[in-house]
Amino acid sequence: MHAEKVKHDFEPKIVAFVCTWCTYAGADLAGTSRMLYPSNVRVVKFPCTGRIDPVFILKAFQKGADGILVSGCHPGDCHYMAGNFHARRRFAVFRKLLEFIGVDLARLEFSWVSAAEGGKWVEIITELTEKIRAMGPLMQFKELEDEEQWSGVLTNPELKAVYDQV
């Protein structure tokens, strides 16, 4: 269940990339237990956090997400042996890329939630929502989304020549 609606000036859009086996099950437990938490999060379920491509995170920011949560099995409890270790290494490097391009790292959070931790899911979502709400909307990638809308028609002859060679 979702927390009582309180009117705020800004409601953040949060995307959660989660593992099917642990975090998604923990979120499901929170819902079936009727725990209250903000409804700002949209969950994208993956078999394992090791399968989450960092490009998905960039794309989520580009498409309007104000905050991102990546959450999976606790280290050592991965259903695919070492997927969460792989994800942890990958995202340690990815954070440096985000920092380089100017994204506030506080907008990206990593956590480990087991299937039995519905209460922890509620805490994480509530805290992340409040933190992102206080930071305000992420405006950096709005122009990129507009620029990406490409008709497929090349009007520049030089670009057309290069495109045709590819």
Side-chain angles (χ1 to χ4, degrees), residues 30-93:
T32 56
S33 300
R34 299 192 177 276
M35 296 178 182
L36 299 177
Y37 60 92
S39 61
N40 300 63
V41 68
R42 298 296 176 257
V43 175
V44 181
K45 185 169 68 165
F46 284 83
C48 178
T49 53
R51 299 292 301 154
I52 300 169
D53 191 321
V55 173
F56 299 155
I57 294 171
L58 291 174
K59 201 63 150 166
F61 279 135
Q62 182 184 0
K63 294 293 183 182
D66 299 303
I68 306 282
L69 172 67
V70 177
S71 185
C73 303
H74 287 277
D77 290 338
C78 179
H79 284 68
Y80 297 99
M81 304 299 276
N84 50 11
F85 289 116
H86 177 69
R88 192 165 61 178
R89 283 191 309 271
R90 176 186 284 172
F91 291 116
V93 173

Side-chain angles (χ1 to χ4, degrees), residues 10 12-17 38 40-42 61 66-71 105-111 120-136:
F10 165 65
K13 295 175 188 157
I14 298 171
V15 177
F17 295 104
N40 300 63
V41 68
R42 298 296 176 257
F61 279 135
D66 299 303
I68 306 282
L69 172 67
V70 177
S71 185
L105 295 179
R107 293 186 179 276
L108 178 63
E109 188 165 314
F110 297 91
S111 69
K120 184 176 179 182
W121 169 261
V122 170
E123 288 174 29
I124 290 169
I125 294 302
T126 303
E127 289 171 10
L128 183 60
T129 300
E130 291 303 318
K131 180 171 68 171
I132 300 298
R133 186 179 287 133
M135 295 173 76

